[in-house]
Each structure stands twice: as structure tokens, then as C-alpha cells.
Amino acid sequence: MARILVTRVMPEGGLDPLVTAGHEIVQRAGDTPYNHAELVAAVVDVDAVVCLLTDRIDSAVLASGAEGRLRVVANVAVGYDNIDIEAAQHLGIAVCNTPGVLDETTADLAFLLILSASRLGSEAERDVRSGAWKGWGVRQYLGRDVHHAVLGLVGYGRIGAAVARRAAGFGMKVLHHARHDTGVPGYTASLDALLEQADIVSLHVPLNEDSRHLIGARQLELMGPDAVLVNTARGPVVDEEALAQALHAGTIFAAGLDVYEREPEIHPRLLDAPHTVLLPHIGSATQATRAQMAQMACEAVCAVLDGNRPPNLVTS
Ligand code: GLV
């Protein structure tokens, strides 16, 4: 029997694999994250950690775990930029994530943002709720058509491909940019060329040093004043200051964001930017998907502790 730290209360059924395996679960009560010092202390005497993307598992946390008996960290998220992978690798601690199970759910949300940003859903609803809407008007809330538009996907992993499948139903022309030729029709080697051609750009790249501020002032300018930007990937992929400026200046038409550079802080100029839909990082937030993500993380923990290699291992 191993001792597993679970950093938050998980969706119902999420810890089933740990329970079935008979492991001892040490769980943080409630929804507030450990602060850094608490996390460093909490990993001292556990074999595994099941954590969330809001837990910063840096080299100090990993070193503290390694001084004890920590063998595996499983992130209940597909992105793992919150974990120092190099340090984990160095200390021989396995890191796992949750690829695959959230693709369709996240693609649904990307499409919600594509539609809502293009059709000005948020500000139209705000006006209805506030009483500012005084009746139908022929020049009100004039958005951009999604059907038959050119969709530019930046990143073409499982989630990008799932968004492309949805776009087919809207008769969209889909282009995608990835670091390597995907061999799939629509592949566009030059990011600049994709940004110039797309009416709507949706981001599906992981956050790393290559993708940080991938979309900045120059890229927004290439997209042009009729373009819509959607980000369900990671906030720092977009230079928020540049985006806020472009939205206020009208040099980009609209934006739909689910992720932010400094969550939960939102850039103040995004909060009052026109044509902007802001969601609180809910890409994978359905009951079924979140439970599956937690289960997948727990299964990976069990596999590593049993001496097996889980398919969702991030470290080598
Ligand atoms: C969510 O953002 C995830 O990476 O799973």
C-alpha cells in the first residue's frame, strides 16, 4: 500500500483507481490550493502526488519529495507547464498527464468561443441582462459569419484536429500550422501565412519557450481588423497587452479567451475590451470529462507504483 497525496477534492469517482488498488489517500479538503511552502511540506512522505494545473510543482517541491519516497506526479490536465519536467527527470520522478480524454470536450468549448466571439455573444447578453438593449435594430451586434469562414488552427494535435472536425460541419475551410508537416490537407508551413489567410484563428499548442507570446502585436497585425482570435490553450501563448490594445483599437475584430497569462488575474484592459468573450478556464469542464481525467491520472499513479510504464508518461 502506498501513500498518495491528492491536492484537491476531485470529481466524483475520480479517485476510484486508487481506492480499488487499496492505496492510502491523503487529500487536501476543499478547493483552495496548497501554497508553495505547504506543498513542499506535503510531499515529504508520499509515494505519489495527484495534482492540478494550478499546483506549481517546481524543483523545490520535487526535491522535497525526492528526499522522501516520491516516485510519480500525475497532473489532472493535459498541459503540464506547471511542472518542472527537467527537474523531475533529473530526480527520477515520473510525470504523467491526461491526454485524449478531454479532446472533444475542449474542442466543444473552442467552438463555443469561435461562435460567441464571432457573433458578439457576450456583449449582446450583457446588454440584455443590464437592460441596455432597447429592442431589435438592423445595425446592432453585427458579427462575422462563422460558416464558410477560413479557420486557422495553430497547433494540430488531438484537440486541434477535433476542432477541425467540427469546422467541417460549418462548411469552413480549415488551415493548420504545426512545427512538422502533418501530411493533412490544409497544412501551412508558415505561421504568418496562416494568420494572413484565416478569418478565425484558434490556438492549440502547449505552452513552452517556443510558444510563449507566439501571438503578439506583429501577428495580430497580420490577422487584420476582421479577424477573430480564440485561445483555449494556455494564456501566455498570447501577449495579452498586445491583444487588449488591438481589441480597443479595433485592429482585430474579436477575441474569445478561456485562458490567461496570470490566472486568475485578468488583464484590466481585456475586462473592458469590446467584442471580447472571457471564460474562466473551463475547456475540459464537464462532469464526465473531469472524472475521466482524474481517473486517468490515478491509473497512471498505480501503474508507476506497480513498476509499469503508463501510456501517458511525460518523462522518459
Ligand atoms: C487544461 O487546461 C488542461 O491542460 O487539461
Side-chain angles (χ1 to χ4, degrees):
M1 186 178 83
R3 193 170 153 83
I4 321 290
L5 175 71
V6 179
T7 63
R8 223 79 96 258
V9 173
M10 290 288 160
E12 206 177 324
L15 301 184
D16 285 356
L18 300 181
V19 175
T20 304
H23 292 309
E24 181 193 355
I25 298 171
V26 185
Q27 190 168 23
R28 169 98 167 161
D31 289 322
T32 52
Y34 285 106
N35 65 35
H36 189 251
E38 287 171 333
L39 205 46
V40 168
V43 298
V44 164
D45 60 348
V46 297
D47 302 274
V49 175
V50 176
C51 61
L52 302 181
L53 58 86
T54 45
D55 296 315
R56 191 162 57 87
I57 310 293
D58 62 8
S59 56
V61 173
L62 291 163
S64 167
E67 271 179 39
R69 52 183 206 261
L70 181 63
R71 288 172 59 193
V72 52
V73 174
N75 211 30
V76 183
V78 67
Y80 47 84
D81 46 281
N82 56 311
I83 303 175
D84 186 335
I85 299 297
E86 216 171 290
Q89 192 87 45
H90 180 70
L91 293 164
I93 296 170
V95 176
C96 307
N97 67 340
T98 63
V101 291
L102 48 70
D103 301 344
E104 302 296 333
T105 302
T106 306
D108 285 348
L109 193 92
F111 232 87
L112 182 157
L113 285 173
I114 288 170
L115 288 164
S116 188
S118 301
R119 297 298 304 272
L120 310 181
S122 266
E123 58 194 61
E125 184 185 0
R126 265 200 306 275
D127 285 355
V128 170
R129 288 183 186 277
S130 71
W133 182 58
K134 300 297 178 203
W136 191 87
V138 73
R139 294 188 301 126
Q140 285 175 356
Y141 309 111
L142 302 186
R144 312 274 318 161
D145 279 323
V146 171
H147 64 84
H148 298 114
V150 178
L151 175 64
L153 300 170
V154 179
Y156 198 69
R158 285 174 301 258
I159 298 172
V163 174
R165 287 195 293 279
R166 284 154 178 76
F170 281 75
M172 300 175 91
K173 175 178 172 186
V174 182
L175 304 175
H176 63 274
H177 169 77
R179 277 192 301 180
H180 306 292
D181 190 348
T182 57
V184 175
Y187 172 70
T188 308
S190 155
L191 174 60
D192 285 2
L194 177 140
L195 297 174
E196 277 171 342
Q197 290 174 69
D199 300 308
I200 299 165
V201 172
S202 187
L203 306 178
H204 301 286
V205 288
L207 174 64
N208 52 43
E209 282 320 307
D210 293 335
S211 65
R212 193 175 292 277
H213 283 194
L214 188 64
I215 304 296
R218 191 183 71 78
Q219 290 74 17
L220 292 165
E221 206 178 312
L222 287 176
M223 287 170 61
D226 293 333
V228 175
L229 177 70
V230 166
N231 189 7
T232 53
R234 282 292 182 269
V237 175
V238 175
D239 178 345
E240 279 181 356
E241 177 67 35
L243 176 61
Q245 219 166 317
L247 286 162
H248 280 279
T251 53
I252 180 173
F253 182 71
L257 307 176
D258 186 43
V259 288
Y260 305 92
E261 277 199 82
R262 284 168 288 277
E263 294 177 13
E265 220 178 278
I266 311 284
H267 191 298
R269 299 210 65 220
L270 281 178
L271 285 172
D272 66 358
H275 298 191
T276 305
V277 183
L278 304 175
L279 296 180
H281 202 151
I282 55 170
S284 63
T286 65
Q287 292 174 357
T289 294
R290 285 281 167 83
Q292 265 183 294
M293 289 164 68
Q295 283 164 6
M296 188 176 191
C298 292
E299 279 161 11
V301 162
C302 293
V304 172
L305 295 179
D306 282 347
N308 298 321
R309 187 186 167 87
N312 47 332
L313 190 65
V314 170
T315 42
S316 52

